Amino acid sequence: MPHFASDIYATPQIGKLLADEAHALAPMLARCTGDHGLHLTTSAPAEPPAIPLLGHWATVRVAGAVLGGDVHASGLEALPFTDEAFGVVLLRHALETTARQDNLLDEAIRVLAPGGMLAITGIHPVGLWSPWVARQSRGTRPRLTWPWWWSQRLVRDEFELSMPRRVGSAWPRAGGAPVGESIVGGGYFLVARKKRPAAVPLRPRAAAVPAPMPGTLASGARRNARESIT
C-alpha cells in the first residue's frame, strides 16, 4: 500500500490556498453533471468540491510515480479507468506532483466525456509563493508550471477554454477569509470544456431507377423501347 509522507501540501498555507481555489471554482463547476467525477490531487488529504448535479467522486492522490486514494497503481501507466468515464475531471495541483506531467494530462483528457469539464489548479511560478515552496520543500520539489502552457495544450486538443485566472493571497498565509480571484494571487486555475464530436451530415447518393414499361405494348415493341432507353 502506498505511503504518502507529509509535504508542503499538508501545510496550513496550502490548505488555505486550496480553500480559496474551491471558493473560486464553485460557481463554474456547479453545473457539471454526470454519474462520476475524477479528483486528481496531491498526497495530502483534500476533499473534492460539492457539485449538486454530480453523482460521485473518485479521488486519486498523485505522488511522483505512485497513485493512491481510491486506486493504487503506478503513475507511469495509464489511469485504470475506461475512456470518457467522467463528467468532470479536476487536477488539483496534481500536475505539480506527478512524475510525468504530459502523460497525466493525456490521461485526464482520455477519461473525460465529451461535453465534460476539465479544471486545473496550481501554484503560480511568479510571485512570493515560488520562493516559499523552494524553502519549504523536502526531497522532490513540486514542478511549478506556467498556466499558459496548459492553455496552449488544451487549445491544441480543441477544448473550449476560459482564460487562466490567479486566485488566493499574494503571499503564503495560514488563515483569514476566503480570497477569490486576484491579479497577484499565489495560485491559478483554468477551466475548459471538451468539445463534442461534430455530427457528419449524410450526403444523398443518386440511384438509378429503371423506367417503367407500359404493359399495352407488344413484346417486340417493349424490347425495342428498352434498347432505345439504354
Side-chain angles (χ1 to χ4, degrees), residues 81-113:
F81 303 111
T82 59
D83 294 353
E84 303 178 355
F86 298 98
V88 57
V89 175
L90 173 57
L91 291 128
R92 207 171 189 185
H93 296 265
L95 293 173
E96 298 169 351
T97 59
T98 180
R100 299 176 63 182
Q101 289 183 324
D102 287 335
N103 181 70
L104 184 61
L105 185 57
D106 285 340
E107 285 298 293
I109 293 172
R110 178 183 66 82
V111 301
L112 181 63

Side-chain angles (χ1 to χ4, degrees), residues 108-189:
I109 293 172
R110 178 183 66 82
V111 301
L112 181 63
M117 189 76 76
L118 178 72
I120 299 174
T121 73
I123 299 173
H124 204 285
V126 175
L128 298 178
W129 281 78
S130 183
W132 178 83
V133 169
R135 290 194 306 269
Q136 295 292 323
S137 298
R138 297 292 183 269
T140 304
R141 183 180 299 179
R143 297 173 61 187
L144 307 187
T145 309
W146 286 83
W148 67 263
W149 175 263
W150 308 126
S151 299
Q152 293 300 313
R153 171 63 195 285
L154 293 174
V155 168
R156 187 186 71 188
D157 288 327
E158 298 184 348
F159 272 69
E160 297 175 356
L161 182 69
S162 65
M163 293 298 296
R165 307 177 192 179
R166 298 185 69 158
V167 64
S169 58
W171 60 89
R173 59 179 184 176
V179 179
E181 297 180 33
S182 170
I183 59 174
V184 293
Y188 70 84
F189 70 90

